[in-house]
Amino acid sequence: MTPHIEIIRKNGTSRLYKAGTSLFYQGEFPRHGVLLTKGAVRAYTIASSGEERTIGFYTAGDLLPIAWLLDQVGISLFHYVALSEVRALRFSKEDFDRTILGDPVALKSLFTNLSRDYSAAMLRINGLGQSRADEKIAFTLYYLAFRYGTLLPDGRHEIKLRLPHVVIASMVGLSRESTTKALRSLQRKGIISYSRGVYTVNKSSLEHYVGEDIYQSLELA
């Protein structure tokens, strides 16, 4: 267990959120921080058209809302909702400042986690910049595997989230139909497989497909 997480576990208050429950609303003034210990949370915003746009996901070990905790903003930037049943620890901003930001070892541990998130975000941005739907989806799956994947005995990576096609579509700004078509194409090529929202990725095949051999040096989660 990393130092900053261990400190919060000792001082936080346990809380259970059922699937679909909001942890924070966009524009809310948070009264506490949250460390996720089990389950997954989706962050999203609402476009002018009324459609939800998925910003990202948070799983065990992640802190929310991080921009508020680091004094970058005074509000929650996004909506945060439990994708599944979520267990978490609540803690005060004062405790965070004193025990995490005030401890060099804990602060370095937090920095390491944020560096991982930064690398993952760059992969996602690369995906959003692609012009073709299948490439947007392929790069997005690479981001998801890097950030949330688990290595399987056969060498493939399982993405530890249950994501219906409509959620993936909301991540890249495509229609559900275009997203489903692109996912089926990748599945026919043997690059991915999926069932009930759980995706398994063949890393080497996906790297070859997107033409980015440089990613071979990245260690997927």
Side-chain angles (χ1 to χ4, degrees):
M1 187 182 302
T2 54
H4 73 284
I5 291 177
E6 185 175 0
I7 289 173
I8 294 173
R9 279 186 178 273
K10 291 179 179 178
N11 298 293
T13 302
S14 181
R15 185 68 186 268
L16 175 67
Y17 299 89
K18 294 182 178 180
T21 302
S22 291
L23 282 73
F24 299 99
Y25 295 96
Q26 189 171 35
E28 174 184 350
F29 292 92
R31 291 175 293 178
H32 56 263
V34 168
L35 168 69
L36 302 182
T37 59
K38 182 181 179 182
V41 168
R42 179 171 72 101
Y44 69 93
T45 188
I46 300 176
S48 58
S49 62
E51 295 178 321
E52 293 182 1
R53 293 288 185 235
T54 297
I55 303 300
F57 304 96
Y58 299 87
T59 54
D62 288 332
L63 296 172
L64 301 176
I66 192 64
W68 174 74
L69 286 169
L70 295 177
D71 294 317
Q72 295 174 324
V73 294
I75 60 173
S76 172
L77 290 177
F78 310 111
H79 296 284
Y80 296 89
V81 63
L83 269 179
S84 58
E85 182 178 272
V86 168
R87 293 189 180 276
L89 293 172
R90 284 184 171 185
F91 55 90
S92 70
K93 178 70 167 61
E94 292 74 20
D95 279 347
F96 179 82
D97 290 346
R98 176 176 54 83
T99 62
I100 305 300
L101 300 186
D103 183 325
V105 175
L107 185 59
K108 182 178 179 180
S109 169
L110 175 62
F111 176 78
T112 299
N113 273 28
L114 294 177
S115 296
R116 174 206 60 186
D117 292 345
Y118 174 81
S119 297
M122 293 301 99
L123 291 176
R124 184 170 178 212
I125 290 171
N126 193 14
L128 292 172
Q130 304 304 310
S131 57
R132 291 168 35 197
D134 57 340
E135 291 181 342
K136 283 181 183 290
I137 297 298
F139 275 99
T140 298
L141 287 169
Y142 201 93
Y143 148 70
L144 290 170
F146 173 75
R147 180 61 176 79
Y148 310 101
T150 298
L151 180 63
L152 300 177
D154 62 6
R156 296 181 301 160
H157 288 79
E158 182 179 83
I159 297 171
K160 299 181 292 185
L161 300 167
R162 291 188 178 274
L163 302 175
H165 292 185
V166 66
V167 171
I168 294 182
S170 76
M171 294 180 67
V172 294
L174 295 172
S175 68
R176 184 184 184 281
E177 293 73 20
S178 296
T179 299
T180 298
K181 182 179 179 181
L183 287 168
R184 287 176 176 169
S185 174
L186 293 171
Q187 187 176 46
R188 286 194 299 270
K189 292 178 171 67
I191 297 171
I192 66 168
S193 61
Y194 58 89
S195 176
R196 298 181 180 180
V198 177
Y199 296 79
T200 304
V201 175
N202 184 317
K203 179 177 180 286
S204 59
S205 295
L206 185 56
E207 288 166 346
H208 179 74
Y209 181 79
V210 299
E212 295 287 355
D213 292 339
I214 191 173
Y215 289 160
Q216 292 177 0
S217 62
L218 282 175
E219 290 294 329
L220 296 189

